Each structure stands twice: as C-alpha cells, then as structure tokens.
Amino acid sequence: MNLIREKRKLAPGVYEFWIENNHIVKYAQPGQFVVMRLHEKAERIPITIAGKKGDCFRAVVRAVGKSTYELCMVKEGDSIMDIAGPLGRPSEIDFYGNVMLVGGGVGIATLLPIAEALKAQNNRLYVVLGGRSKEYVIMLEEFSKLADQMIVTTDDGSFGIKGVVTDGMQMFFEREKIDIVWAVGPTIMMKFCSMKAKEHGVKIWVSLNPIMVDGTGMCGACRVTVDGKIKFACVDGPEFEGELVDWDELLKRLAQYRDEEERSLKLFME
Ligand code: FES
C-alpha cells in the first residue's frame, strides 16, 4: 500500500510518482486530490491526482517548501505513510462544445484527467500550456494527443509563443467561440485567466490551492471567499468559478506563512 512504483523527473524540481493505492484508483474522479503524510512527523500535503494506471495513481509534485522537498526525495520502492482521499468535489464533466483548458506549472498535471474526461464527452479542446521556459512545460506529449488545437507560451520564448497563458487565451478567443474555460496553475495565473474569461463573457473554473491541513472541512485553513461567501476549498472545491473568487484575499492568505516556510526549508536543507 502506498508504494512508489515509479518516479520520474518531469522538469527542474518537478517529479511524477506512480503510487500503488487501489482505493484511490477505484474512487478518484477528475479534479479531486489526496492529502499525503510521508512519515509520523511530516506535514500533511494536498496533491492532485494526475492520472491512473493499473493499481497506481499519479501524483505530480513540485519541490517548493520543506515538505514537498522531502517528498521529492523519496525513491522508487519507498512508501508513503498515509494517503487520505480522494478528496474534494469532482470537476463538472459534461458536453459543452468548445472547451478551453489553460495550464501553468504543475497545474498542467491537474488539468490532464479533466482534459481526458472532457474529450471522452466529445468536447473540442483548445489547450494553452505555459511555463517559464520549455523545460518547465510538462506533459506536452499527452496534451498534444488530446488537444484539437494547442498553444504553448513561455516567458523567455524558448518554445512556442513568447508570452503568458492569457496571450494564448486571447488568440483562441479571437479564433473560436469558446463555451467554457478551465484554468489550473499558480494563483496569480488563475486570477488573470479569470479576468480574461470575464472580459469575453465566458464561464471559467479554477482549481484553488490554498493552505490545507486536514482536507476534510474541519480546520478552516483552506478558507476562501467566493461570491462573498466563506467556502472551504477542500470540501466545497477545489474548483470554483474564477470570476467569483476573492483573489486578493487568497493571495494574501497564501503569503501569510512565507517567512516560516522559508525558515523551515533552510533548516531542512542544512
Ligand atoms: Fe481544513 Fe479545508 S483543509 S478545512
């Protein structure tokens, strides 16, 4: 149980793990996530489910803080102490027509099962993937098999179009009638994607990644304000309509423990 069967580097500091867990494989739906604890003293980390294969599910992790660094150091053959899930509400998969999917960073991995499920419903997929440079744009091959059209943007122009994902969104909005958008990536990216979708009067789903502790609606750590109401991302989300999210509050809450996180990572690396 929870054995790491395969580990692979996808990008600098980004790893894919195929983890044995029949329960997650049986019940997980697109858009859902798990909470992992590596060992007794480890922090609980929310990780999205980025695919299934046999009796394994895929987790894609970026080493950003102490806990994710520690997780990225586990090897094939190691085990994770506990995995809770699947958690959160699944994506609203249906036939919409022309669907735009926008992914940035490890959010691209979250988007993949959503893309597969939407494709299975015969939607046409207009995919925009973005990253700092070519090496940070993960899962290009998997998305190119699913996408009807795809635009890649990189900040430095090393691949695709030099620019950001909202530039790719604008290009698709000018070319096609888009019926709905999903955007998953860094919070600031999702904020701007929501503004872009609003500009074109199209509904957008975003997958929020606030600080989480229990992942079951008990601790309140993942509190977000959506449409003026308090929601808990772990049970009411993680997907919400981007236009209704209080982005400034979320960005402020995410920055709340930055100093402590930096200190903890520094101590871990020493
Ligand atoms: Fe505790 Fe959501 S993580 S309420």
Side-chain angles (χ1 to χ4, degrees):
M1 190 73 156
N2 303 338
L3 179 78
I4 311 281
R5 285 262 199 83
E6 286 174 45
K7 176 187 178 184
R8 194 165 67 99
K9 188 175 178 181
L10 297 183
V14 179
Y15 294 87
E16 148 187 294
F17 298 91
W18 286 96
I19 305 166
E20 196 183 290
N21 187 305
N22 284 315
H23 179 81
I24 303 293
V25 170
K26 188 169 176 193
Y27 295 105
Q29 294 179 57
Q32 291 188 296
F33 65 99
V34 294
V35 169
M36 292 186 189
R37 200 160 56 122
L38 195 50
H39 53 77
E40 196 86 26
K41 291 191 176 144
E43 198 181 14
R44 295 161 62 85
I45 326 171
I47 307 276
T48 47
I49 300 159
K52 304 175 190 180
K53 183 171 71 181
D55 57 355
C56 293
F57 77 93
R58 173 162 58 180
V60 174
V61 184
R62 183 163 80 96
V64 273
K66 183 218 166 207
S67 299
T68 45
Y69 261 93
E70 204 178 5
L71 184 56
C72 285
M73 284 163 68
V74 301
K75 300 183 289 296
E76 284 178 7
D78 289 345
S79 287
I80 288 167
M81 191 180 84
D82 55 58
I83 298 179
L87 302 169
R89 288 152 56 107
S91 309
E92 283 189 14
I93 304 299
D94 206 338
F95 174 74
Y96 298 99
N98 290 345
V99 181
M100 195 194 306
L101 298 167
V102 189
V106 287
I108 294 173
T110 308
L111 209 53
L112 188 66
I114 301 171
E116 286 168 343
L118 287 165
K119 190 71 191 167
Q121 294 292 324
N122 295 319
N123 291 285
R124 282 179 68 78
L125 303 185
Y126 295 84
V127 176
V128 185
L129 302 182
R132 264 188 276 167
S133 60
K134 188 184 178 191
E135 56 187 341
Y136 288 93
V137 186
I138 61 170
M139 298 178 167
L140 264 174
E141 217 183 293
E142 282 156 292
F143 270 99
S144 52
K145 284 182 196 147
L146 287 169
D148 290 278
Q149 287 186 41
M150 187 155 96
I151 294 172
V152 178
T153 65
T154 48
D155 298 356
D156 63 1
S158 55
F159 190 64
I161 292 160
K162 186 176 186 322
V164 289
V165 288
T166 44
D167 298 326
M169 288 177 77
Q170 180 63 31
M171 289 169 77
F172 278 143
F173 277 128
E174 283 170 14
R175 267 191 231 165
E176 305 288 341
K177 184 199 160 286
I178 300 295
D179 297 297
I180 192 165
V181 182
W182 260 265
V184 192
T187 304
I188 192 75
M189 181 204 102
M190 295 190 286
K191 174 184 172 174
F192 282 101
C193 291
S194 300
M195 287 160 68
K196 180 58 78 181
K198 189 179 177 186
E199 198 182 304
H200 292 271
V202 179
K203 180 175 170 174
I204 179 168
W205 286 110
V206 293
S207 181
L208 301 186
N209 49 0
I211 295 162
M212 286 193 189
V213 180
D214 65 326
T216 58
M218 305 289 282
C219 71
C222 66
R223 178 169 59 82
V224 286
T225 305
V226 182
D227 201 15
K229 298 182 196 78
I230 299 229
K231 299 279 178 188
F232 296 117
C234 66
V235 286
D236 301 316
E239 288 184 10
F240 294 99
E241 283 186 50
E243 197 188 313
L244 306 177
V245 173
D246 183 336
W247 292 104
D248 295 338
E249 180 197 62
L250 176 58
L251 286 161
K252 217 157 93 193
R253 281 178 66 80
L254 281 169
Q256 212 171 358
Y257 299 106
R258 199 154 285 161
D259 291 350
E260 286 84 351
E261 282 163 6
E262 275 170 17
R263 224 174 304 138
S264 166
L265 177 62
K266 201 166 162 259
L267 284 172
F268 177 70
M269 302 298 260
E270 279 171 4

